[in-house]
Amino acid sequence: MARAPEKGVAPNPAPPTVCRVRIRFAKRGRLRFSSHRDVARAFERAVRRAALPVAHSHGFSPHPRLSWVGAAPTGTASEAEYLEIGLTKWVEPAGVVAALDAALPVGLDVLDAVESTPGTPALADLIDATRWRIRLPGVEPSELAAAVAALLERESVVVQRATKSGHRPVDVRAALVSLAARDPRSHDFDLPNTASGDATGQRCATMTAVVRQTTPAVRPDDVLGALLLVADLRPPVPPMAVRLAQGLLDGQGCLVDPLAASRVITSVGSNGSGAQNAPSIGEQHGAAS
């Protein structure tokens, strides 16, 4: 007869988690139409293909310990998606990047990884804002600039978001830290290969928005809904949104890389030097289109 499990002991114990790796990845091309669940399944398959020693939960239906933070909405691309993976053996973060990137489909690209060391804040606590780039084919830059100015003049702009339980009000203006219509001739780090038109030669306006994390989170389509309310801006074709960065807002309205905290602690532990000020995401690495 099988012995009953001891009190407080899992019936199917799994190897303990000995380290955690925080990963930044991109969602590009046609995979921007993947839902968060699709992306999660792709990563679950990828950790198996890569033979990473990923930790699992206890019990009769163990699942890999993958922790997600602030997934981008379906239909938007992203250069700054984050997750944390628990491992049962220590693996060099660069090795995790290479193994996962080779196992994932084209369009899910692993960009960076750091080890999460004790004393580092939770990954979710290191993200309170997002920077978006939104391209509007068929819209004149001057028309967009006027609409942005009209929105910024308001103290509150509430849009109605359709949900499964009905419409829910979202105050877009309250969440906006900044909103700017970009000069199509500029070459800012977040606007690579910019031109006054799109690939078809059609006029194309572009804006960047820094948005605080709120409940519910303000999404690119909410910003476009606010521009429709205040200026009747109606793009003739669907806009294209890319999440450029996530992080903590500093005093200048820039976003601090959420992986920087782990790099600072690792640097102190390895050579005693530490880092100076954690760089903003835009200073540390540019974003791809």
Side-chain angles (χ1 to χ4, degrees):
M1 180 180 295
R3 293 179 58 186
E6 298 180 18
K7 186 176 182 180
V9 176
N12 184 23
T17 300
V18 301
C19 74
R20 299 179 184 276
V21 175
R22 293 177 175 179
I23 292 173
R24 171 177 166 255
F25 69 95
K27 185 173 72 165
R28 297 167 171 160
R30 290 186 296 177
L31 287 193
R32 69 185 184 276
F33 298 110
S34 301
S35 68
H36 170 60
R37 187 60 196 139
D38 293 333
V39 172
R41 286 172 178 156
F43 269 88
E44 290 168 2
R45 290 192 293 267
V47 295
R48 291 196 297 269
R49 291 195 189 104
L52 289 174
V54 63
H56 286 74
S57 61
H58 299 287
F60 294 104
S61 299
H63 59 273
R65 293 194 181 278
L66 307 181
S67 301
W68 303 87
V69 179
T74 302
T76 63
S78 177
E79 294 294 313
E81 299 298 286
Y82 292 92
L83 80 151
E84 184 173 274
I85 299 180
L87 300 175
T88 60
K89 298 179 182 178
W90 185 85
V91 179
E92 176 69 35
V96 175
V97 171
L100 269 182
D101 198 48
L104 285 166
V106 175
L108 289 178
D109 303 316
V110 180
L111 307 177
D112 197 5
V114 297
E115 183 181 357
S116 175
T117 51
T120 306
L123 189 54
D125 294 335
L126 296 172
I127 296 175
D128 65 4
T130 292
R131 180 187 296 112
W132 291 97
R133 181 184 67 201
I134 306 172
R135 294 174 63 85
L136 292 84
V139 174
E140 291 289 338
S142 58
E143 181 184 6
L144 175 61
V148 166
L151 174 55
L152 294 178
E153 288 176 356
R154 303 287 188 91
E155 293 185 1
S156 175
V157 178
V158 178
V159 301
Q160 298 294 323
R161 178 186 297 173
T163 67
K164 294 180 179 179
S165 57
H167 286 82
R168 184 172 184 180
V170 178
D171 191 341
V172 175
R173 184 64 187 90
L176 277 176
V177 177
S178 64
L179 180 66
R182 316 301 288 189
D183 186 337
R185 296 165 297 180
S186 68
H187 296 281
D188 296 343
F189 78 90
D190 59 350
L191 293 171
N193 304 320
T194 308
S196 58
D198 62 9
T200 65
Q202 184 182 36
R203 297 293 293 177
C204 183
T206 304
M207 63 181 171
T208 55
V210 176
V211 184
R212 292 186 184 88
Q213 297 281 14
T214 57
T215 303
V218 170
R219 305 181 304 201
D221 56 342
D222 297 320
V223 176
L224 294 169
L227 293 175
L228 174 63
L229 281 177
V230 302
D232 198 30
L233 181 67
R234 300 174 184 270
V237 296
M240 297 173 288
V242 180
R243 173 183 268 164
L244 299 174
Q246 295 190 79
L248 286 176
L249 281 167
D250 62 13
Q252 288 73 46
C254 298
L255 300 182
V256 177
D257 183 358
L259 301 187
S262 294
R263 288 195 183 93
V264 169
I265 294 177
T266 302
S267 177
V268 170
S270 60
N271 57 31
S273 61
Q276 297 299 320
N277 295 322
S280 71
I281 295 175
E283 295 168 341
Q284 185 183 16
H285 46 249
S289 57

